[in-house]
Amino acid sequence: MSATLQAPDPGEIQLSAAEFADLAARVRRVSGIALGEGKRDLVHGRLRRRLRALRLPSFAAYIAVLDGPEGAEEEVRMINAITTNLTGFFREPHHFAHLAQQLLPALPRQGRRLRIWSAGCSSGEEPYSIAMTLCQAMPDLAQWDARILATDIDTDMVALGTAGRYAAERAASIPPALRQAHVRALDAETVEMAPSLKALVRFLPLNLLGAWPMRGRFDAVFCRNVVIYFDKPTQARLFDRFADILVPGGHLYVGHSETLHRVSDRFQHLGRTVHRLVR
Ligand SMILES: C[S@@+](CC[C@H](N)C(=O)[O-])C[C@H]1O[C@@H](n2cnc3c(N)ncnc32)[C@H](O)[C@@H]1O
């Protein structure tokens, strides 16, 4: 009988409370993602495919891999498996309306420099939505030094964003005029972002808890539906770092269920989860 047939079905492998606690502590230390006891089934489900890929008989064996010579590599795969990457083009569309109608028209024209950071960009729909908004709202964009930085801890997502190819149905939430201008059909099922749009966005793997290699400040940071997975002290440290990397009066957009209330006093809430740096 082959090894494949003898290997236990990872669906039947139990994740003990101690193993869950060990894995949750590792995930939290590396990524900031806080996994309460209620997430045991989620962790079990998401790491099953790692056990299957490595043909491991137990979570104890998986933890031994994490502690072994291949541990650093496997840690990246573990984080990729654990992250929740739900996203979409023009998700929470009021933020793109605010960007187009409030932030961009108020930019100082001197220097014509514009930097926007999509922090926790997942597979790229958010930074490409920002790029389309810039193209539409700034007729003289070609005369600007405009760049969008798109980063995520999940290296698989960064690769998807860089490729800029999506299932055609995902593009349905792009307003038709923008879709026509910036999206090409590759075949009946797949679309690709136009090269001119890709040229505006630079994708990089980056852990928000680690060092930030960027030099220069940002006019706006989109960090939406990311800190919801972090505890409050981690959120507070992150918002403080965003404040330090924004230009005076720069903007921070967070997700609909995220708040800076009692977490950071460095921003003024302008409504609908749009914040302006005040100190
Ligand atoms: C739910 S998605 C949100 C995507 C997009 N911002 C949006 O709102 O549509 C959250 C993303 O945050 C990323 N993330 C989680 N922890 C992170 C960390 N410590 N550093 C960087 N990215 C992280 C995940 O990999 C995931 O792609």
Side-chain angles (χ1 to χ4, degrees), residues 7 14 17 32 47 54 56 61 73 78 120 123 159 220 233:
Q14 299 300 306
L47 290 184
L54 297 167
L56 295 172
E73 240 170 76
M78 173 177 72
S123 39

Side-chain angles (χ1 to χ4, degrees), residues 99-277:
L99 178 66
Q101 292 159 19
Q102 309 290 328
L103 192 150
L104 297 177
L107 283 175
R109 300 189 65 75
Q110 201 189 6
R112 295 195 180 191
R113 180 186 179 278
L114 171 61
R115 295 286 184 274
I116 300 180
W117 181 13
S118 168
C121 63
S122 189
S123 39
E125 289 88 333
E126 179 178 277
Y128 285 127
S129 302
I130 298 170
M132 287 185 245
T133 304
L134 264 49
C135 291
Q136 188 176 46
M138 300 172 74
D140 62 344
L141 184 62
Q143 272 101 62
W144 283 71
D145 169 17
R147 279 188 241 160
I148 299 156
L149 174 67
T151 65
D152 202 284
I153 195 172
D154 187 331
T155 54
D156 294 337
M157 292 302 118
V158 172
L160 285 176
T162 307
R165 292 180 178 183
Y166 301 95
E169 72 254 22
R170 295 191 66 78
S173 56
I174 304 175
L178 294 180
R179 205 164 56 222
Q180 201 170 354
H182 303 291
V183 181
R184 313 267 177 272
L186 282 183
D187 54 46
E189 280 102 43
T190 322
V191 297
E192 182 169 18
M193 299 298 106
S196 53
L197 208 65
K198 285 188 183 177
L200 282 170
V201 187
R202 181 170 178 228
F203 285 91
L204 281 180
L206 183 113
N207 182 352
L208 287 170
L209 265 53
W212 296 352
M214 302 83 84
R215 274 173 287 139
R217 291 183 181 233
F218 289 88
D219 299 281
V221 172
F222 281 67
C223 185
R224 308 185 311 159
N225 309 297
V226 177
V227 303
I228 190 174
Y229 303 105
F230 300 165
D231 60 25
K232 292 288 175 192
T234 307
Q235 293 184 10
R237 278 193 297 277
L238 187 58
F239 292 143
D240 214 36
R241 294 179 78 193
F242 284 146
D244 290 341
I245 207 163
L246 279 164
V247 298
H251 286 71
L252 172 64
Y253 299 89
V254 300
H256 63 282
S257 56
E258 296 164 335
T259 178
L260 274 66
H261 185 60
R262 298 187 183 202
V263 188
S264 172
D265 61 1
R266 297 187 64 185
F267 295 87
Q268 175 194 5
H269 187 209
L270 304 179
R272 304 200 76 185
T273 58
V274 182
H275 303 81
R276 196 170 65 86
L277 181 66

Side-chain angles (χ1 to χ4, degrees), residues 5-171:
L5 287 175
Q6 281 171 342
D9 174 359
E12 288 161 14
I13 296 172
Q14 299 300 306
L15 173 63
S16 73
E19 289 160 350
F20 169 73
D22 179 299
L23 291 166
R26 289 168 195 261
V27 169
R28 191 181 191 129
R29 180 177 41 75
V30 176
S31 69
I33 298 170
L35 298 162
E37 175 57 38
K39 301 285 184 193
R40 193 150 141 192
D41 284 350
L42 177 141
V43 168
H44 185 252
R46 291 188 180 175
L47 290 184
R48 251 192 335 225
R49 61 183 144 115
R50 291 309 307 146
L51 264 69
R52 195 175 294 132
L54 297 167
R55 299 165 86 149
L56 295 172
S58 66
F59 281 96
Y62 185 65
I63 289 168
V65 170
L66 288 169
D67 285 331
E70 312 291 317
E73 240 170 76
E74 185 52 37
E75 196 173 79
V76 172
R77 299 214 171 88
M78 173 177 72
I79 297 298
N80 287 1
I82 289 293
T83 52
T84 297
N85 306 115
L86 183 75
T87 189
F89 289 105
F90 291 93
R91 182 183 192 190
E92 300 181 42
H94 52 279
H95 286 160
F96 302 95
H98 181 277
L99 178 66
Q101 292 159 19
Q102 309 290 328
L103 192 150
L104 297 177
L107 283 175
R109 300 189 65 75
Q110 201 189 6
R112 295 195 180 191
R113 180 186 179 278
L114 171 61
R115 295 286 184 274
I116 300 180
W117 181 13
S118 168
C121 63
S122 189
S123 39
E125 289 88 333
E126 179 178 277
Y128 285 127
S129 302
I130 298 170
M132 287 185 245
T133 304
L134 264 49
C135 291
Q136 188 176 46
M138 300 172 74
D140 62 344
L141 184 62
Q143 272 101 62
W144 283 71
D145 169 17
R147 279 188 241 160
I148 299 156
L149 174 67
T151 65
D152 202 284
I153 195 172
D154 187 331
T155 54
D156 294 337
M157 292 302 118
V158 172
L160 285 176
T162 307
R165 292 180 178 183
Y166 301 95
E169 72 254 22
R170 295 191 66 78

